[in-house]
Amino acid sequence: MSIDKIRPEDYWKDEPCDFGKNLADEKELATERQVGGNHYKGRAQPIEYIIKNDISWCLGNSIKYITRSGKKGKRKDHIKDLQKAIHYIELELQHTYNVDPNGKPLTVKDFDCEKIDWEIFLDKQYLFYYQQNVGEIILDYDEWLQENEADLKERYKDEGNF
């Protein structure tokens, strides 16, 4: 049968189909599910809060890590999540306010531009990986980096860095 001549009742010959039904009713929203665990389950998804409040990328990541701390893994994982949250807050202070974690103004010599560029590159690459693998098992950042660091360094070098 030609695709041009197929009728709705031919789609599922063995199963009844109600084409009058609103398919959006059956569609699961991305905010109603989580890929790879349940450590963000709760009253509100961090992403909803971050988007609704127009929170920066660094602060959004700190909220994400604070929210999941204590809900995934062992004690060392909780500590690592809190350390990551602190790191992203420090990045916000540095990049947005040009101060160190103690509020002291930074000068150009205080910046390790190469390290910052590398971190930004990694963050963009991880975001791309994450977006390309929606609906699949997604490695957390540290696992992803460990698995891909050699290739990422090569790609970074190919782009004229290092």
Side-chain angles (χ1 to χ4, degrees), residues 86-108 110-111 116:
I86 290 167
H87 177 72
Y88 278 106
I89 291 169
E90 290 173 345
L91 286 171
E92 180 76 11
L93 288 169
Q94 179 179 326
H95 292 290
T96 304
Y97 301 101
N98 198 34
V99 297
D100 70 11
N102 297 314
K104 177 184 164 214
L106 296 171
T107 61
V108 175
D110 294 324
F111 286 101
I116 293 167

Side-chain angles (χ1 to χ4, degrees), residues 12-31:
W12 293 282
K13 289 190 180 225
D14 298 330
E15 299 176 30
C17 181
D18 179 6
F19 284 96
K21 195 175 193 180
N22 183 354
L23 295 178
D25 291 342
E26 288 183 14
K27 191 173 186 180
E28 182 181 27
L29 298 175
T31 54

Side-chain angles (χ1 to χ4, degrees), residues 39 68 71 92 102 115 127 152:
H39 45 278
R68 86 174 195 185
K71 296 180 177 82
E92 180 76 11
N102 297 314
K115 183 178 180 191
L127 179 62
L152 290 164

